[in-house]
Amino acid sequence: MFSFTVAALVFGVVFLAELPDKTALAGLMLGTRYRASYVFVGVAAAFAVHVALAIAAGSVLTLLPHRLVQAVVGLLFLAGAAMLIFKKDDGEEELRKPADQSFWKVSGAGFMLILVAEFGDLTQIMTANLAARYDDPFSVGIGAVLALWTVAGLGIVGGRTLMRFVPLALITRIAAVVMLALAGFSLYEAVAG
């Protein structure tokens, strides 16, 4: 059964964590060089693959004892918050321009860039944790994929405008605070049972 509450919570957490990520900047760069719709199709497909992998990993975690899962989830959320707080800006990555700008070349470039860059990324780990936490893979998957697609769309079409109004440091701090709160809640449940 679909839970709007779970999907909305996952959307918020993943959205905030993905905004300051390098893939949002990569989407922005691709969107300025190529047709936005072509870029979005490739990026969206790669994010869907990542969410499916994360949901599968999170669903396996639900087979373990509840207290152990809550402790692991809490520790992973703490690690994610630390990654956000202490991460260094690597600067913009250079993107290779496809020889032509056909749909398949541009979409393929976007797909491969995100597929490689996001593998094992913070948001993929968070999605697996949330799938384990809520034991609702469909709602978590919908929330996560919509958040990632929204960030990709914002990065491709309007990233520069958003960053003029909302400082990247503020977005990163908000995501870290949300993750710390989720870590605290998960660790409390692990201890309290």
Side-chain angles (χ1 to χ4, degrees):
M1 187 60 104
F2 180 76
S3 168
F4 182 77
T5 305
V6 170
L9 175 71
V10 171
F11 178 92
V13 170
V14 172
F15 179 84
L16 287 173
E18 188 64 22
L19 264 182
D21 196 62
K22 66 183 178 291
T23 53
L25 296 174
L28 172 68
M29 290 173 55
L30 284 170
T32 60
R33 294 180 183 186
Y34 307 111
R35 191 172 186 173
S37 60
Y38 292 4
V39 173
F40 183 77
V41 168
V43 169
F47 277 135
V49 169
H50 278 287
V51 168
L53 292 172
I55 294 298
S59 296
V60 169
L61 291 176
T62 62
L63 301 175
L64 298 172
H66 180 71
R67 290 178 113 177
L68 176 63
V69 170
Q70 292 299 66
V72 170
V73 167
L75 292 173
L76 289 173
F77 274 130
L78 278 176
M83 286 172 65
L84 284 174
I85 292 168
F86 299 114
K87 86 175 191 175
K88 294 179 183 174
D89 186 17
D90 297 345
E92 295 180 5
E93 293 182 12
E94 188 141 337
L95 299 171
R96 192 169 167 220
K97 189 172 184 175
D100 65 54
Q101 293 197 18
S102 71
F103 172 79
W104 293 109
K105 295 283 185 180
V106 173
S107 295
F111 179 83
M112 290 309 296
L113 174 70
I114 298 303
L115 190 69
V116 171
E118 286 290 305
F119 198 78
D121 192 60
L122 173 64
T123 52
Q124 191 177 33
I125 294 167
M126 284 174 43
T127 301
N129 288 342
L130 290 164
R133 166 117 178 69
Y134 291 109
D135 195 20
D136 186 355
F138 184 69
S139 300
V140 170
I142 293 294
V145 83
L146 288 177
L148 293 168
W149 288 356
T150 301
V151 171
L154 287 171
I156 292 167
V157 176
R160 289 182 184 163
T161 304
L162 177 66
M163 295 306 169
R164 282 187 211 151
F165 297 109
V166 182
L168 192 58
L170 176 62
I171 294 168
T172 303
R173 297 293 184 239
I174 290 171
V177 167
V178 169
M179 290 184 70
L180 284 172
L182 288 169
F185 186 72
S186 295
L187 291 172
Y188 171 78
E189 281 193 348
V191 172

